[in-house]
Amino acid sequence: MRTLTVCNFTTVDGVYEDDDHDIASLFEHWHPDYRGADSFDFHTTALMRASDTLLLSGKRSTLGNLGYWAGVRGDPDATRIRREFAELIRTMEKVVVSDTITAADLAPYENVRIVPVAESRAEVARLKKQEGRGILILLGRVLWNDLMHAGLVDELHLVTFPLIGGGGVRLFGGRPPVALRLLGTHVWEESGNVLMRWRVDPAPAGS
């Protein structure tokens, strides 16, 4: 039985992205002491190494991510850890949950296939029954919120960045029927990032 892990960064006030569905504006007030810190890259790359399948969702997000990391592979100024992440995302199985993305959109990329939104829960349940290493979602808020409501998420890694959004898209859409049990925490002093790892269990009956 494979496990599904979600990893997402969030601001101190629980913002996922700004009102324009971008994250760049959130970093306008990034503390200068933390510029250049790459602890989040190391954490997400470690999760990628432990996984066989990456779940992506939405046309804009998917093509943006795949295109960005394809560019990192050829960037001589990219750090070693970011080049490793870029190579992992190229070679591993990628499942895209979307009703608008097409095979032509994905033609430049390897090891990727499309699953309609209506079939995403069934597909994830099928993947979890297979042998192999983990299944991973990085970002993908709408997808993992839905999968959490369906009881398909096993671990939630929330990395709080030292940022205040002040507005924008909240991390959670609604209240999923789950109970969280803390598995561990970690503080990266060089970046100000704080990791909380949660096991996601069904909410107690009658709660």
Side-chain angles (χ1 to χ4, degrees):
M1 186 76 170
R2 303 167 70 190
T3 59
L4 173 57
T5 298
V6 170
C7 181
N8 224 123
F9 88 80
T10 178
T11 64
V12 171
D13 54 338
V15 171
Y16 172 82
E17 60 190 5
D18 67 20
D19 288 324
D20 294 322
H21 302 289
D22 197 1
I23 64 172
S25 68
L26 302 178
F27 288 86
E28 291 173 353
H29 293 179
W30 189 245
H31 198 286
D33 287 354
Y34 299 143
R35 295 193 186 279
D38 54 5
S39 53
F40 189 64
D41 293 333
F42 277 88
H43 183 65
T44 53
T45 302
L47 291 174
M48 291 278 278
R49 292 187 199 115
S51 303
D52 285 332
T53 303
L54 179 67
L55 296 182
L56 301 167
S57 62
K59 182 174 183 177
R60 180 174 179 269
S61 176
T62 295
L63 296 180
N65 267 297
L66 294 178
Y68 174 81
W69 289 108
V72 168
R73 292 201 305 275
D75 182 359
D77 296 324
T79 61
R80 179 193 61 79
I81 195 65
R82 290 175 72 79
R83 287 197 300 271
E84 180 183 352
F85 185 98
E87 184 61 18
L88 286 168
I89 201 172
R90 180 184 73 84
T91 57
M92 74 189 306
E93 177 190 39
K94 295 170 287 292
V95 177
V96 178
V97 176
S98 175
D99 290 335
T100 57
I101 203 164
T102 67
D105 294 325
L106 299 175
Y109 309 108
E110 304 172 42
N111 306 316
V112 58
R113 59 188 176 87
I114 304 166
V115 171
V117 172
E119 298 175 17
S120 59
R121 291 185 177 189
E123 176 63 14
V124 170
R126 186 188 71 81
L127 288 170
K128 292 184 67 173
K129 292 177 181 177
Q130 295 178 342
E131 295 295 324
R133 296 181 298 174
I135 305 164
L136 180 63
I137 301 177
L138 301 175
L139 305 179
R141 181 190 70 91
V142 173
L143 174 61
W144 66 253
N145 267 263
D146 179 69
L147 296 177
M148 189 172 285
H149 277 271
L152 292 168
V153 175
D154 300 294
E155 282 196 26
L156 177 62
H157 293 208
L158 293 183
V159 181
T160 301
F161 278 38
L163 302 167
I164 299 172
V169 180
R170 310 300 297 181
L171 191 63
F172 291 95
R175 186 185 188 190
V178 300
L180 302 178
R181 188 180 191 284
L182 188 65
L183 295 174
T185 62
H186 188 82
V187 177
W188 290 284
E189 294 184 3
E190 69 276 11
S191 65
N193 295 348
V194 180
L195 165 68
M196 294 183 293
R197 291 177 52 236
W198 304 97
R199 191 179 77 196
V200 183
D201 293 335
S207 64

